[in-house]
Coordinates of all heavy atoms in Angstrom, one line a residue:
I1 N 86.3 39.8 99.9 CA 84.9 39.3 99.5 C 83.9 40.4 99.7 O 83.0 40.7 98.9 CB 84.6 38.1 100.3 CG1 85.4 36.9 99.8 CG2 83.1 37.8 100.1 CD1 85.3 35.6 100.6
L2 N 84.0 41.1 100.9 CA 83.0 42.1 101.2 C 83.1 43.4 100.4 O 82.2 44.1 100.1 CB 83.0 42.4 102.7 CG 82.5 41.3 103.6 CD1 82.9 41.6 105.1 CD2 81.0 41.2 103.5
E3 N 84.3 43.6 99.9 CA 84.6 44.8 99.1 C 84.1 44.6 97.7 O 83.8 45.6 96.9 CB 86.1 45.1 99.1 CG 86.6 45.7 100.4 CD 88.1 45.9 100.4 OE1 88.8 45.2 99.6 OE2 88.6 46.6 101.3
N4 N 83.9 43.4 97.3 CA 83.4 43.0 95.9 C 81.9 42.9 95.9 O 81.3 42.1 96.7 CB 84.0 41.7 95.4 CG 83.5 41.3 94.1 OD1 83.1 42.1 93.3 ND2 83.4 40.0 93.9
T5 N 81.2 43.7 95.1 CA 79.8 43.7 95.1 C 79.2 43.2 93.7 O 78.0 43.4 93.4 CB 79.2 45.0 95.4 OG1 79.6 46.0 94.4 CG2 79.6 45.5 96.8
S6 N 80.1 42.6 92.9 CA 79.6 42.3 91.5 C 79.3 40.8 91.3 O 78.8 40.4 90.2 CB 80.7 42.8 90.5 OG 81.9 42.1 90.7
N7 N 79.7 39.9 92.2 CA 79.5 38.5 92.0 C 79.7 37.7 93.3 O 80.2 38.3 94.3 CB 80.5 38.0 91.0 CG 81.9 38.1 91.4 OD1 82.5 39.2 91.4 ND2 82.6 37.0 91.8
P8 N 79.2 36.5 93.4 CA 79.3 35.7 94.6 C 80.7 35.1 94.8 O 81.5 35.1 93.9 CB 78.3 34.6 94.3 CG 78.3 34.4 92.9 CD 78.5 35.8 92.3
A9 N 80.9 34.7 96.1 CA 82.2 34.1 96.5 C 81.9 33.0 97.5 O 81.0 33.1 98.3 CB 83.1 35.2 97.1
G10 N 82.7 32.0 97.4 CA 82.7 31.0 98.4 C 84.1 31.0 99.1 O 85.1 31.0 98.5
I11 N 84.1 31.0 100.5 CA 85.3 30.9 101.2 C 85.4 29.5 101.8 O 84.5 29.0 102.4 CB 85.4 32.0 102.3 CG1 86.8 32.0 103.0 CG2 84.3 31.9 103.3 CD1 87.1 33.2 103.8
V12 N 86.6 28.9 101.5 CA 86.8 27.4 101.7 C 87.8 27.3 102.9 O 88.9 27.7 102.8 CB 87.3 26.8 100.4 CG1 87.4 25.3 100.6 CG2 86.4 27.1 99.3
L13 N 87.3 26.6 103.9 CA 88.1 26.6 105.2 C 88.4 25.2 105.8 O 87.6 24.3 105.6 CB 87.2 27.4 106.2 CG 86.8 28.8 105.7 CD1 85.7 29.4 106.6 CD2 88.0 29.8 105.7
T14 N 89.5 25.2 106.5 CA 89.9 23.9 107.1 C 89.2 23.6 108.4 O 88.8 24.4 109.2 CB 91.4 23.9 107.4 OG1 91.7 24.8 108.4 CG2 92.2 24.3 106.1
R15 N 89.1 22.3 108.6 CA 88.7 21.8 110.0 C 89.9 21.7 110.9 O 89.8 22.1 112.1 CB 88.0 20.4 109.8 CG 87.7 19.7 111.2 CD 87.1 18.4 111.0 NE 86.6 17.8 112.3 CZ 87.4 17.0 113.0 NH1 88.6 16.6 112.6 NH2 86.9 16.4 114.1
Q16 N 91.0 21.2 110.3 CA 92.2 21.0 111.1 C 93.0 22.3 111.3 O 92.9 23.2 110.5 CB 93.1 19.9 110.5 CG 93.9 20.4 109.3 CD 93.1 20.2 108.0 OE1 91.9 20.3 108.0 NE2 93.8 20.1 106.9
N17 N 93.7 22.4 112.4 CA 94.6 23.5 112.6 C 95.8 23.5 111.7 O 96.3 22.5 111.3 CB 95.2 23.5 114.1 CG 94.1 23.7 115.1 OD1 93.1 24.3 114.8 ND2 94.4 23.3 116.3
I18 N 96.1 24.7 111.3 CA 97.3 24.9 110.4 C 98.1 26.1 110.9 O 97.6 26.9 111.7 CB 96.9 25.1 108.9 CG1 96.0 26.4 108.7 CG2 96.2 23.9 108.4 CD1 95.7 26.7 107.3
P19 N 99.4 26.2 110.5 CA 100.3 27.2 111.0 C 99.8 28.6 110.6 O 99.2 28.9 109.6 CB 101.6 27.0 110.4 CG 101.6 25.5 109.9 CD 100.1 25.3 109.6
T20 N 100.1 29.6 111.5 CA 99.9 31.0 111.3 C 101.3 31.6 111.1 O 102.1 31.5 112.0 CB 99.2 31.7 112.4 OG1 97.9 31.1 112.7 CG2 99.0 33.2 112.1
W21 N 101.6 32.1 109.9 CA 102.9 32.5 109.5 C 103.4 33.8 110.1 O 102.6 34.8 110.2 CB 103.1 32.6 108.0 CG 102.6 31.3 107.3 CD1 101.5 31.2 106.5 CD2 103.2 30.0 107.4 NE1 101.4 29.9 106.1 CE2 102.4 29.2 106.6 CE3 104.3 29.5 108.0 CZ2 102.7 27.8 106.4 CZ3 104.6 28.2 107.9 CH2 103.8 27.3 107.1
E22 N 104.6 33.9 110.5 CA 105.3 35.2 110.8 C 105.5 35.9 109.5 O 106.1 35.3 108.6 CB 106.6 34.9 111.5 CG 107.3 36.2 111.9 CD 106.7 36.9 113.1 OE1 106.4 36.2 114.1 OE2 106.5 38.1 113.0
R23 N 105.1 37.1 109.4 CA 105.2 37.8 108.1 C 105.8 39.2 108.3 O 105.8 39.8 109.3 CB 103.8 38.0 107.5 CG 103.0 36.7 107.2 CD 101.5 37.1 106.9 NE 100.7 35.9 106.7 CZ 100.6 35.4 105.5 NH1 101.2 35.9 104.4 NH2 99.8 34.3 105.3
G24 N 106.3 39.7 107.2 CA 106.7 41.1 107.1 C 105.6 42.0 106.6 O 104.5 41.5 106.3
P25 N 105.8 43.3 106.6 CA 104.7 44.2 106.2 C 104.5 44.3 104.7 O 103.5 44.9 104.3 CB 105.2 45.5 106.8 CG 106.7 45.4 106.8 CD 107.0 44.0 107.0
G26 N 105.5 43.8 103.9 CA 105.4 44.0 102.5 C 105.6 42.7 101.7 O 105.2 41.6 102.1
Q27 N 106.4 42.8 100.6 CA 106.7 41.7 99.8 C 107.7 40.7 100.5 O 108.5 41.2 101.3 CB 107.2 42.1 98.5 CG 106.2 42.9 97.6 CD 106.8 43.2 96.3 OE1 108.0 43.0 96.0 NE2 105.9 43.8 95.4
A28 N 107.6 39.5 100.1 CA 108.5 38.5 100.7 C 109.9 38.8 100.2 O 110.2 39.2 99.0 CB 108.1 37.1 100.2
T29 N 110.9 38.6 101.1 CA 112.3 38.8 100.7 C 113.1 38.0 101.7 O 112.8 38.0 102.9 CB 112.7 40.3 100.8 OG1 114.1 40.4 100.5 CG2 112.4 40.9 102.1
G30 N 114.1 37.3 101.2 CA 115.0 36.5 102.1 C 114.1 35.5 102.8 O 113.4 34.7 102.2
D31 N 114.3 35.5 104.2 CA 113.5 34.6 105.0 C 112.2 35.2 105.6 O 111.5 34.6 106.4 CB 114.4 34.1 106.1 CG 115.5 33.1 105.7 OD1 115.2 32.4 104.7 OD2 116.5 33.1 106.3
T32 N 111.9 36.4 105.1 CA 110.7 37.1 105.6 C 109.6 36.8 104.7 O 109.7 37.1 103.4 CB 111.0 38.7 105.7 OG1 112.1 38.9 106.5 CG2 109.7 39.4 106.2
F33 N 108.5 36.4 105.2 CA 107.3 36.0 104.4 C 106.6 37.2 104.0 O 106.6 38.3 104.7 CB 106.4 35.1 105.2 CG 106.9 33.6 105.2 CD1 108.2 33.3 104.9 CD2 106.1 32.6 105.6 CE1 108.7 32.0 105.0 CE2 106.5 31.3 105.7 CZ 107.8 31.0 105.3
G34 N 105.9 37.2 102.9 CA 105.1 38.3 102.4 C 103.9 38.5 103.2 O 103.3 37.6 103.9
S35 N 103.4 39.8 103.2 CA 102.2 40.2 103.9 C 101.0 39.4 103.3 O 100.9 39.2 102.1 CB 102.0 41.7 103.7 OG 100.7 42.1 104.1
A36 N 100.0 39.2 104.2 CA 98.8 38.5 103.8 C 97.9 39.4 102.9 O 96.9 39.0 102.3 CB 98.0 38.1 105.0
E37 N 98.3 40.7 102.8 CA 97.6 41.6 101.9 C 97.6 41.1 100.4 O 96.7 41.5 99.7 CB 98.3 43.0 101.9 CG 98.0 43.8 103.2 CD 96.5 44.1 103.3 OE1 95.8 44.5 102.3 OE2 96.0 44.0 104.4
G38 N 98.6 40.2 100.1 CA 98.6 39.7 98.8 C 97.4 38.9 98.4 O 97.1 38.6 97.3
V39 N 96.7 38.4 99.4 CA 95.4 37.6 99.2 C 94.5 38.4 98.3 O 93.8 37.9 97.5 CB 94.7 37.3 100.5 CG1 93.4 36.7 100.3 CG2 95.6 36.3 101.3

């Protein structure tokens, strides 16, 4: 959001707790979850 300077953004967030995933450093493969960089 901060890197983008051309238009507005809304970030939509939970009240309740949700899991924080164990991830790998890159793309998802097998049982390894993909990096959050994909966001």
Side-chain angles (χ1 to χ4, degrees):
I1 288 169
L2 289 167
E3 288 172 343
N4 175 29
T5 62
S6 60
N7 61 286
I11 186 166
V12 185
L13 305 165
T14 68
R15 175 180 185 266
Q16 75 275 24
N17 290 338
I18 59 175
T20 303
W21 307 112
E22 181 75 47
R23 301 168 179 270
Q27 295 183 353
T29 178
D31 290 329
T32 302
F33 283 15
S35 165
E37 286 296 319
V39 170

